Amino acid sequence: METQRNTNMAAITALESQFSHICEVGGAPGLSLSVLIRGEVAYSKHFGFRDVNTQQAPDGDTTYFIGSLTKAMVTALVGIFVEEGKLEWTTRIASILPELEGTWDGRGSQITVVDLLSHRSGIARLDGLWLQRAGNILLSQSVGVRTWTSQPPVRDFRTDYLYNNFGYELVGRAIVKLSGKGLGENLKEKLFEPLGMSRTSTSDIPDNTNAAKAYFALDDASPSEVPIPTISDKTLMGPAGSVRSCTNDLTKFYRNFIHAANDQFARKATSTPGSPFKQLLRILRPHNQLTMISLREQSYALGWGRAELPAPLGAFNYNKYLVPAMPLVGQGAPSRVAVYHGGSMQGATSAVYLLPETETAVIALQNSTGICDPCDWISQLVIHTLSEADARGIDFEALATTAAKSGTMLAAKIEAALEERRKKDTKPLELKAYTGRYWNDIKSFHIDITVHDDDGGLYMRFQSMESETYKLRHYHDDSWVWNAPHNETAKQGRFQTRPWASYEVGFDCGAERSGAKSLQWKYDAELEAPGIFVLEEGSR
């Protein structure tokens, strides 16, 4: 056993030059990587800087935002509540949150806890209305769910997969209501403290002098610092992505999780002595079908993706958008089930891959939104190597280089797509005709359109936040666009992967074109038609 452990350590250590190169080309100024094999830490290494300005290196206690890795923690908490008899997997969420009753033509009355945790509600995602620039959350907790319930169903119920952070927001609210305690307090009491995770929290850790800064990669892969995310258990989407943690803590979490999973599957039990994890047979079973990219299993459990190796991976990180096809990880090795997830917030990216049968975990945390996802490429490289596959079959450095090049071209592709659809030789009205405050139908989101005195240009501002101000450029007729080149978008701390249609804002000025009465914006690609924002009376 010790000989095999040493062999595995040597195999991973031999990959370090590739790790460094992938970080360099992908724009990851700092990255922490830990690997468990047979339930023990076999490798731990930290690359680059947690703070570029001060050149401080990360270590095992450096905290990063782990984004959607939070989801597996929330599902584990739900498992504890189910084991305690406080909740059922089939509980209708409207029975706890009555504001859901009757919404979406009755669908809201049927949606269960499992529907929300497995992304099968079929309701529009709405990310464009709550998440734009780094450091901002555009919707408050008080209006967030009401805003979501005003959105239409866009997929079939319980048959289609559509990733949706709001599902976890609702489950988190149910936990708070059932327990009378905050989400962070519940996670700390039932998971973090029992596992000895002293540097893991849903809010900023007081006096934390060892936290990674947040960066976006410019088109030359150099880092541009952006504001630290403000998401927490006190904001909207806390249950979907608010946890900050470190590799030292996460190795404790995933070690115990894998042990409990193997034990509960072997004994057909719902709990494991000495472990806080419960109900893992239900949590880890397939509940929804991921996009079909392989004949082998590609499913979504609860807070986890599942794939039968050999298979393409990376369903939750954005490398898949940047290469022609994801590699077949594990080709030539014995078939195994991989359980995995990715996470991102502006300026932070994460990935975890588990091979429960060999008690293997690969954890990668990165303090940037890169021009590709180095943490995911590196994690897949390690999994591929440890699966005893033919490592020569996949050139992960070449894949990262290709992905990074594609990542720098996303803004240009948006510009090209807009230009292709642009009508020529049209003129706008006098700019004042577009100004005013425009509201969505339930008055939870507003857009201010103003003319700036300094340059005479037309500007758009979300939710009265000065940092959410964007210059509009005339597109055609009464439509305007607000897309920007890669580096400008990166410095704003905005994701480059939003679709081209989300950058067009149209004004309805009527047949007489006497002045805009409403504004149209397709903030969600799944929507059949753009959202309509109506001019507030007297605001022009």
Side-chain angles (χ1 to χ4, degrees), residues 164-233:
N164 202 317
N165 289 300
F166 269 99
Y168 281 77
E169 170 68 20
L170 289 182
V171 172
R173 292 187 183 211
I175 288 171
V176 170
K177 189 168 183 178
L178 289 171
S179 66
K181 300 177 181 178
L183 178 71
E185 189 178 355
N186 273 294
L187 285 169
K188 182 178 179 180
E189 177 185 308
K190 295 184 179 295
L191 282 171
F192 301 158
E193 285 187 342
L195 292 170
M197 299 169 66
S198 60
R199 290 187 58 74
T200 301
S201 178
T202 56
S203 59
D204 290 338
I205 299 170
D207 303 317
N208 185 8
T209 59
N210 190 2
K213 296 285 184 120
Y215 301 90
F216 267 66
L218 302 180
D219 57 14
D220 62 357
S222 63
S224 176
E225 187 174 347
V226 298
I228 292 289
T230 55
I231 190 171
S232 76
D233 63 335

Side-chain angles (χ1 to χ4, degrees), residues 274-343:
S275 172
F277 294 106
K278 316 294 181 186
Q279 297 278 324
L280 293 184
L281 277 75
R282 192 61 175 263
I283 288 173
L284 288 174
R285 63 180 278 192
H287 290 275
N288 203 351
Q289 175 66 49
L290 292 177
T291 303
M292 289 293 293
I293 54 175
S294 169
L295 286 173
R296 295 177 181 270
E297 182 189 348
Q298 292 278 345
S299 64
Y300 199 85
L302 302 180
W304 291 98
R306 290 172 51 103
E308 181 188 357
L309 300 182
L313 299 173
F316 312 105
N317 293 70
Y318 75 97
N319 287 322
K320 63 182 179 291
Y321 301 120
L322 304 177
V323 293
M326 294 296 284
L328 203 62
V329 173
Q331 183 70 44
S335 179
R336 292 193 178 99
V337 171
V339 180
Y340 72 103
H341 216 282

Side-chain angles (χ1 to χ4, degrees), residues 66 104 158 260 265 275 284 331 394 427:
I66 68 171
W104 303 304
R158 292 181 179 156
F265 272 83
S275 172
L284 288 174
Q331 183 70 44
I394 303 174
K427 293 183 179 181

